Amino acid sequence: KINIVSSLFKGEHDVEASGKILAQNQVGTYDLLGLRLDNNEIPKPLVDLLVKHVLLPRYPAAAPNREFALPYGIQRIECRPGKLLVHQGGAH
């Protein structure tokens, strides 16, 4: 019996994820939009299956689109062209 998931992730691979994150008022959410493995696009339905059957059983709090408290006193995160701004402490 061959475990397809194990064979996909056996050895060393280049992984590129794309997504979106919303972070404000000390709360964040994220959505995984795409995944590339060794420069090959993984179809979104397969990404969703991997999240459901591999990620969530091990890390249930890591579910996409589930709110989470931002760590390290982060209030909000802003994406600007060429930079990511992380605001900590009081509201800025």
Side-chain angles (χ1 to χ4, degrees):
K1 180 179 172 182
I2 297 173
N3 186 334
I4 295 173
V5 173
S6 291
S7 63
L8 273 177
F9 295 109
K10 189 178 274 188
E12 190 172 309
H13 298 277
D14 292 322
V15 177
E16 180 182 328
S18 62
K20 66 179 179 178
I21 184 168
L22 299 172
Q24 60 186 2
N25 301 323
Q26 300 177 337
V27 175
T29 60
Y30 82 96
D31 189 17
L32 189 57
L33 300 176
L35 189 65
R36 294 179 72 79
L37 182 66
D38 296 327
N39 213 26
N40 295 303
E41 185 77 26
I42 305 296
K44 182 69 166 120
L46 181 55
V47 172
D48 294 341
L49 281 173
L50 289 170
V51 167
K52 182 177 180 180
H53 294 289
V54 177
L55 178 70
L56 294 181
R58 292 182 183 168
Y59 307 100
N65 298 311
R66 177 182 287 168
E67 290 186 348
F68 59 90
L70 295 173
Y72 310 111
I74 296 172
Q75 297 290 324
R76 63 189 171 97
I77 298 171
E78 276 182 77
C79 294
R80 295 205 179 152
K83 63 176 95 170
L84 182 68
L85 301 173
V86 178
H87 299 271
Q88 291 179 291
H92 297 290

